[in-house]
Amino acid sequence: MSEHAHPIPDRHGQNLFTTDAELHGLLALYLPDDLRRHMQPHFERLGGLAGGLLDELAGTADRNPPTLKQRTRTGLDDQKVVKHPAYVEMERLALAEFGLAAISHRDDTLGWQGKMPPLVKYVLTYLFVQAEFGLCCPVSMTDSLTRTLKKFGKPELVAKYLPRLTSLDFDELAQGAMFMTEQAAGSDIAATATLAHQEADGSWRLTGDKWFCSNPDADFAMVLARADDGLAGMKGVSLFLLPRRLDDGSLNRYRIIRLKDKLGTRSMASGEIRLEGAVAYLVGEAGRGFVQMADMVNNSRLSNGVRAAGLMRRAVAEAEFIASERRAFGRTLEQMPLMQRQLDKLRLPAEQARTMVCQTALALARSDASEPEAYALLRILTPLIKFRACRDARKVTGDAMEVRGGCGYIEEWSDARLVRDAHLGSIWEGTSNIVALDVIRAVKREGSLPVLRAHCEKLLADATLAPAFAKALRDALARAAALAETAAHEGGDVLARQAASALYHCTSAIAMAWEASHSGSAPRLRWAQLVLLHRVLPRDPLSPDAMPADWNTATERSAAALA
């Protein structure tokens, strides 16, 4: 049987960037032309790797998880996490060749002189994660730790450790982690029990257990601990930088008790840490550890949303490829109306997520530039994408696996790994309840809701849409905002998830409509309409779906009829 006649389609080897036409259209909207042209060959190279070699390495690393080695063969107590060579090669690609953890902290990455906007890093991550999810956690934590150290660390601390954190030399560069979670103190940071004792010479020693620590043998970790003579509750918690090795090269005084046996992200080690008087350095102001760590967590939450978007894109692209190549009953699957509907249901959350990646990345750039109200916008967009995109990824990856059929359930294909990895996003860096409540906290404390509404109104004003559709978007946004305001009142916490979903769906639909208006993408306009129709507005489950006729202009209706 010839390769082309084989009934089982295999997309392996495709370039995940060049085959993604919608991404090209978005980059033309969101990146300056000179930077986009400069990055084009880098995007193409990573897209090729993600569809080929990187995908192979990821599968190998997933099947060969890391192990914990306690001693050397001569009996020295020298703990080491032993990683498979496939994982090490992925580390080299991510951290050294593409500089994913250092790109935001250098002026000379990938041949570009000057600071890269955050969106470049997130596009690269978006492509990378379509092949490998687990490693992107250490990459994100290294980036976030570096950002937090630069923002809050003493100048001498920054000068001492920043060069390794921003190095592109694989033999020299350092990786980062965050050790927050304890058995009794998960998201409840006020219950942190790890103690920090200050010695007579001013140095600090940490004692206690951390329950879930990804990248546990990282060169540096940000750790929350309570001064042993400090205040109770949140005000007694401080932030510390914990080096894996001391200045003389010896291991710091903490041990990896065991590695976790996880459902997903099997390629990357997560473990339990016991601090036994470990040397650490105070970062920022004592007693404000949570506030300072929150900056790192928020950065990681945005990265979580980016990774969820990437997982969904890979799942959808696999499903689309199968549907276009697989034949049954004399037709390709994509020619069958029910499959067309199924693919649309997969595309909507995937496209919403990458639109929100672009919108949030721009807000981050504006916030870092201290533009008025940009922080308030970032402060609400970040938990919105973390909450909704991570939850959507769980369903999209599972439903996309079904399109491949029985093969999708077999570990030789990417589908099962995508499903396993997708379930992590809505747990790490805050579970869904915690992150939805953070959306409401942004409404109450940061005044983010009117800023978000103003941002959406600006997008609508800058888009050419059918008046009825524009009005439907405005009306839905007003109702979502009213729901969020109710959730922000006393006793309204029970509405947090409903309000967060409503704001996400309305914001993404408006942004997608703006993108369609400026890029000329008819599919993107239709997806924006379907988001409003299927994910926001009330529907009769016993009636056929129907797009309101006045949501399209006469020109759009003619184009749709011709298509």
Side-chain angles (χ1 to χ4, degrees):
M1 182 179 290
S2 71
E3 179 183 351
H4 296 293
H6 197 284
I8 306 297
D10 188 351
R11 184 170 172 254
H12 182 75
Q14 279 198 354
N15 188 304
L16 304 192
F17 176 75
T18 58
T19 56
D20 191 349
E22 281 295 321
L23 179 57
H24 299 175
L26 291 177
L27 295 182
L29 284 178
Y30 285 103
L31 284 181
D33 284 343
D34 56 344
L35 179 57
R36 180 175 54 83
R37 287 193 297 268
H38 176 84
M39 287 304 303
Q40 184 85 7
H42 299 290
F43 292 151
E44 289 176 356
R45 170 159 166 70
L46 184 51
L49 287 169
L53 174 62
L54 186 57
D55 198 41
E56 294 171 6
L57 293 171
T60 299
D62 186 70
R63 292 187 294 273
N64 297 273
T67 58
L68 180 61
K69 186 177 180 180
Q70 297 287 0
R71 287 185 162 196
T72 68
R73 66 181 182 180
T74 62
L76 294 178
D77 190 6
D78 190 12
Q79 277 193 331
K80 181 180 181 181
V81 174
V82 180
K83 306 169 184 176
H84 191 276
Y87 185 84
V88 175
E89 175 60 13
M90 291 194 297
E91 287 182 311
R92 188 194 65 79
L93 286 169
L95 297 166
E97 184 165 336
F98 288 97
L100 295 184
I103 194 170
S104 292
H105 312 288
R106 296 177 61 100
D107 295 327
D108 57 347
T109 313
L110 298 173
W112 180 261
Q113 296 302 311
K115 280 277 190 278
M116 291 272 201
L119 184 57
V120 170
K121 172 182 66 182
Y122 292 132
V123 172
L124 290 168
T125 302
Y126 180 81
L127 292 169
F128 196 100
V129 80
Q130 290 183 49
E132 165 60 13
F133 182 90
L135 174 60
C136 287
C137 173
V139 167
S140 170
M141 290 193 298
T142 304
D143 174 30
S144 299
L145 180 147
T146 304
R147 175 185 173 93
T148 301
L149 179 62
K150 287 166 58 180
K151 189 170 183 178
F152 299 109
K154 293 180 180 178
E156 57 269 25
L157 203 60
V158 174
K160 183 177 182 179
Y161 293 124
L162 188 64
R164 286 193 63 203
L165 287 164
T166 58
S167 175
L168 299 179
D169 183 334
F170 190 59
D171 295 325
E172 172 66 23
L173 62 82
Q175 294 189 38
M178 62 173 88
F179 300 166
M180 292 174 54
T181 309
E182 300 178 9
Q183 288 178 320
S187 298
D188 185 6
I189 302 301
T192 296
T194 298
L195 294 179
H197 176 75
Q198 189 169 26
E199 302 286 345
D201 62 1
S203 64
W204 290 88
R205 300 297 182 104
L206 306 185
T207 305
D209 283 9
K210 294 294 184 179
W211 180 242
F212 205 113
C213 306
S214 289
N215 209 21
D217 64 336
D219 301 278
F220 302 99
M222 286 291 184
V223 183
L224 289 176
R226 178 182 308 284
D228 54 9
D229 60 349
L231 300 172
M234 195 79 78
K235 292 182 179 179
V237 178
S238 298
L239 182 63
F240 296 88
L241 181 69
L242 177 75
R244 178 66 174 147
R245 291 189 178 271
L246 303 177
D247 291 344
D248 63 3
S250 63
L251 283 171
N252 204 348
R253 294 189 61 182
Y254 66 91
R255 297 185 58 78
I256 304 170
I257 303 302
R258 65 170 177 169
L259 298 184
K260 300 286 194 180
D261 185 8
K262 298 175 292 181
L263 170 68
T265 64
R266 293 176 178 174
S267 63
M268 184 269 300
S270 299
E272 299 165 23
I273 298 290
R274 175 160 295 160
L275 300 153
E276 302 171 325
V279 174
Y281 304 95
L282 181 67
V283 175
E285 184 181 344
R288 291 184 57 80
F290 175 74
V291 174
Q292 289 147 189
M293 179 64 94
D295 186 76
M296 183 173 179
V297 169
N298 283 333
N299 207 47
S300 294
R301 283 178 174 173
L302 173 52
S303 177
N304 240 315
V306 174
R307 283 175 267 160
L311 288 179
M312 284 191 278
R313 170 59 197 169
R314 173 67 188 273
V316 171
E318 291 288 327
E320 289 174 334
F321 179 81
I322 296 158
S324 67
E325 297 291 325
R326 176 80 160 144
R327 299 187 66 83
F329 310 109
R331 293 183 292 174
T332 61
L333 299 185
E334 69 177 2
Q335 293 174 321
M336 301 176 181
L338 200 55
M339 177 58 74
Q340 293 169 359
R341 180 182 175 89
Q342 185 178 355
L343 290 175
D344 266 342
K345 292 178 75 172
L346 296 175
R347 291 180 183 120
L348 291 190
E351 295 299 334
Q352 284 179 270
R354 67 170 162 186
T355 286
M356 292 294 276
V357 166
C358 294
Q359 289 286 316
T360 311
L362 289 194
L364 174 59
R366 291 177 52 213
S367 177
D368 285 348
S370 301
E371 289 188 23
E373 298 190 331
Y375 175 75
L377 180 61
L378 174 67
R379 183 62 187 80
I380 195 168
L381 287 178
T382 297
L384 281 177
I385 189 172
K386 163 64 168 78
F387 167 68
R388 192 65 259 168
C390 291
R391 293 195 61 78
D392 285 344
R394 293 159 59 170
K395 181 170 175 55
V396 168
T397 54
D399 287 355
M401 179 168 66
E402 185 180 347
V403 177
R404 182 166 266 133
C407 286
Y409 199 65
I410 304 304
E411 291 283 357
E412 290 176 310
W413 301 84
S414 63
D415 307 74
R417 177 157 47 90
L418 293 176
V419 171
R420 287 190 277 105
D421 289 348
H423 278 72
L424 185 60
S426 53
I427 296 174
W428 265 354
E429 318 301 356
T431 57
S432 297
N433 284 352
I434 292 296
V435 180
L437 289 170
D438 195 43
V439 172
I440 304 306
R441 191 176 297 112
V443 172
K444 292 194 285 191
R445 297 184 182 178
E446 310 295 342
S448 293
L449 191 56
V451 176
L452 178 65
R453 292 190 68 178
H455 176 71
C456 290
E457 284 292 345
K458 185 176 179 181
L459 291 175
L460 283 170
D462 192 36
T464 303
L465 303 172
F469 181 46
K471 182 178 185 303
L473 288 169
R474 284 192 173 93
D475 291 347
L477 178 63
R479 293 184 64 194
L483 181 62
E485 287 174 348
T486 301
H489 290 153
E490 186 70 26
D493 283 358
V494 70
L495 298 173
R497 290 170 69 134
Q498 184 180 349
S501 291
L503 289 175
Y504 178 89
H505 295 323
C506 291
T507 300
S508 59
I510 288 169
M512 290 169 74
W514 173 85
E515 291 165 347
S517 176
H518 285 266
S519 68
S521 171
R524 202 148 207 86
L525 177 61
R526 179 171 168 272
W527 294 331
Q529 293 169 336
L530 288 175
V531 168
L532 191 60
L533 190 66
H534 286 270
R535 307 201 77 183
V536 178
L537 298 181
R539 296 168 58 219
D540 181 353
L542 302 182
S543 297
D545 294 328
M547 187 81 72
D550 57 358
W551 277 14
N552 288 316
T553 63
T555 303
E556 290 164 346
R557 287 195 292 271
S558 299
L562 290 173

